[in-house]
């Protein structure tokens, strides 16, 4: 009898053990495997354009690849300001009052809005051309405080050197940009220094929002030999229209980013934003795992590539040499 009872008890205990190992297993891994469960990330983007979308998608993919999946192990609140500064401020304030664990700011205007709202919540900026000149950090190696991020700094000089290889007779350059985007202003200053050294003249056409772009390009095209637009969010979001006007006037337009070439710009010497997005995702994971944002150096992309648009070249009657074509990382044809 005793033996039987012992057998029943031991069978029961085995069952209970099996049950606890199977039925309870999922909640166990959830609790012990990932202490970052349910952390909240706010992502703010200044405007909708292909390059910023690529960055966002690539960084979310990297988070997921490292086990931080939206709706499961983390919550992502993505907000787009539709190119409006007032919206940016509202979004930044909402993220701060919600006490999110991390704020990712895509592009300089978003980063500036968030940085002025909090000194506590970690901020990870993404694709900011000039983090120092834009007042985001005071030291690229040791940012300090609650801010770090990635930079997509490019060289106006290198872009124009490429421009001169494609269209050698440039004397006057029309600079098209939003004068309130500090990311653009620093590149334009570099362009002006380059022009001065090379006996060229720069004519400015500045805008304050995308609805002014059409008027600005139209008034500029006939006064210049080529157009130049830096990594400007306002111009990038109106790029197909800019291309139409420049092509009609048969003027080459040199730009700061691959997506602007895809949208009809003639050429750039720029960085890969998919890689930048991934790098930003890697930094986000470091912060989620407990590293202080200010202890992580700002990451600048080292590799630059040539991007060309063959359709635009044809439209304005330019022959891209085999040399330049061979050097290009990507040649768009639409
Ligand atoms: N560098 C821009 C900034 O600092 C953001 C940006 C990333 C961008 N990729 C772009 C702008 C492509 C125009 C086109 O705000």
């Amino acid at each position: 009898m005793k033996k039987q009872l012992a057998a029943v008890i031991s069978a029961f205990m085995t069952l209970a053990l099996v049950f606890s190992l199977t039925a309870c297993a999922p909640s166990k891994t959830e609790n012990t495997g990932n202490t970052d469960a349910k952390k909240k990330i706010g992502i703010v983007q200044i405007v909708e354009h292909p390059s910023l979308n690529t960055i966002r998608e690539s960084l979310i993919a990297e988070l997921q690849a490292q086990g931080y999946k939206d709706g499961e192990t983390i919550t992502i609140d993505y907000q787009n300001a539709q190119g409006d500064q007032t919206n940016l401020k509202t979004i930044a304030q909402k993220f701060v009052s919600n006490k999110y664990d991390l704020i990712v700011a895509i592009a300089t205007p978003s980063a500036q809005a968030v940085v002025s709202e909090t000194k506590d919540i970690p901020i990870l900026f993404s694709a900011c051309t000039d983090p120092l000149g834009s007042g985001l950090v005071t030291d690229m190696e040791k940012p300090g405080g609650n801010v770090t991020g990635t930079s997509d700094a490019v060289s106006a000089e290198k872009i124009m050197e490429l421009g001169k290889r494609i269209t050698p007779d440039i004397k006057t350059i029309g600079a098209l940009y939003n004068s309130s985007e500090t990311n653009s202003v620093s590149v334009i200053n570099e362009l002006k220094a380059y022009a001065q050294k090379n006996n060229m003249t720069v004519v400015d056409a500045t805008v304050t929002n995308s609805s002014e772009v059409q008027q600005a390009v139209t008034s500029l095209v006939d006064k210049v030999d080529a157009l130049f637009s830096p990594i400007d969010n306002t111009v990038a979001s109106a790029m197909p229209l800019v291309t139409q006007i420049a092509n009609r006037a048969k003027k080459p337009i040199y730009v700061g980013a691959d997506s602007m070439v895809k949208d009809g710009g003639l050429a750039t010497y720029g960085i890969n934003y998919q890689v930048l997005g991934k790098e930003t995702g890697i930094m986000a994971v470091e912060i989620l795992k407990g590293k202080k944002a200010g202890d992580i150096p700002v990451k600048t992309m080292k590799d630059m590539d040539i991007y060309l648009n063959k359709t635009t070249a044809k439209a304005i009657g330019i022959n891209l040499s085999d040399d330049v074509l061979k050097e290009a990382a990507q040649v768009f044809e639409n």
Side-chain angles (χ1 to χ4, degrees):
M1 185 67 188
K2 252 189 189 168
K3 252 189 181 172
Q4 266 178 354
L5 189 66
V8 169
I9 290 172
S10 100
F12 182 76
M13 281 174 74
T14 312
L15 247 170
L17 183 68
V18 169
F19 180 77
S20 76
L21 281 178
T22 51
C24 300
S27 73
K28 257 196 177 158
T29 45
E30 221 172 76
N31 293 335
T32 54
N34 191 350
T35 51
D36 309 310
K38 312 251 169 12
K39 282 204 168 167
K40 295 193 177 68
I41 304 176
I43 302 182
V44 54
Q45 185 174 313
I46 169 70
V47 72
E48 193 79 31
H49 68 69
S51 191
L52 301 189
N53 295 343
T54 300
I55 296 165
R56 190 186 71 250
E57 283 156 14
S58 171
L59 92 87
I60 291 175
E62 180 58 25
L63 280 170
Q64 189 166 331
Q66 296 208 35
Y68 294 87
K69 189 161 191 241
D70 185 23
E72 291 181 13
T73 41
I74 52 164
T75 307
I76 295 178
D77 179 359
Y78 163 57
Q79 301 286 331
N80 191 303
Q82 316 291 344
D84 184 319
Q85 288 292 333
T86 319
N87 288 347
L88 269 185
K89 198 171 170 64
T90 312
I91 295 166
Q93 284 173 341
K94 189 185 139 224
F95 283 180
V96 172
S97 67
N98 286 353
K99 296 191 166 48
Y100 284 165
D101 298 286
L102 169 65
I103 300 176
V104 178
I106 303 180
T108 303
S110 326
Q112 286 168 325
V114 176
V115 162
S116 66
E117 293 299 332
T118 178
K119 298 269 169 287
D120 305 316
I121 297 175
I123 296 170
L124 180 61
F125 61 78
S126 183
C128 294
T129 306
D130 182 8
L132 289 173
S134 303
L136 300 175
V137 293
T138 49
D139 189 324
M140 298 281 276
E141 275 307 305
K142 293 193 187 78
N146 59 326
V147 184
T148 190
T150 51
S151 167
D152 61 349
V154 291
S155 160
E157 185 162 339
K158 288 215 165 111
I159 296 170
M160 284 318 298
E161 285 296 327
L162 172 66
K164 277 209 306 197
R165 279 177 71 189
I166 300 172
T167 49
D169 297 325
I170 306 172
K171 292 274 174 290
T172 313
I173 309 164
L176 177 67
Y177 62 105
N178 182 338
S179 48
S180 67
E181 285 196 36
T182 52
N183 43 295
S184 299
V185 173
S186 71
V187 181
I188 294 296
N189 288 340
E190 204 198 313
L191 174 75
K192 287 177 177 167
Y194 168 82
Q196 202 168 18
K197 265 193 278 163
N198 290 277
N199 291 321
M200 295 175 172
T201 318
V202 175
V203 182
D204 269 330
T206 58
V207 296
T208 58
N209 62 60
S210 58
S211 69
E212 293 173 10
V213 170
Q214 176 163 14
Q215 159 71 29
V217 195
T218 309
S219 72
L220 191 62
V221 276
D222 293 325
K223 298 185 212 150
V224 299
D225 304 313
L227 294 163
F228 178 96
S229 187
I231 322 178
D232 189 284
N233 295 288
T234 314
V235 177
S237 60
M239 198 56 203
L241 178 67
V242 174
T243 304
Q244 248 183 36
I245 303 168
N247 285 3
R248 222 180 292 141
K250 303 230 179 299
K251 296 288 163 71
I253 169 155
Y254 297 106
V255 291
D258 57 350
S259 71
M260 296 169 89
V261 176
K262 187 165 189 268
D263 281 348
L266 181 59
T268 191
Y269 189 68
I271 69 146
N272 181 324
Y273 284 93
Q274 191 123 28
V275 175
L276 181 139
K278 186 181 161 93
E279 293 292 349
T280 313
I282 291 170
M283 291 164 87
V285 171
E286 284 185 77
I287 296 169
L288 289 172
K289 284 190 170 152
K291 207 159 179 182
K292 271 183 68 184
D295 290 343
I296 307 172
V298 174
K299 179 130 194 147
T300 304
M301 303 296 117
K302 296 281 178 294
D303 293 333
M304 305 266 171
D305 284 307
I306 293 178
Y307 296 86
L308 304 169
N309 191 314
K310 232 177 173 172
T311 310
T312 300
K314 249 184 233 154
I316 63 174
I318 277 170
N319 211 8
L320 293 169
S321 74
D322 286 345
D323 270 9
V324 177
L325 280 168
K326 244 183 260 157
E327 271 176 62
Q330 209 168 347
V331 180
F332 297 104
E333 242 180 315
N334 8 35

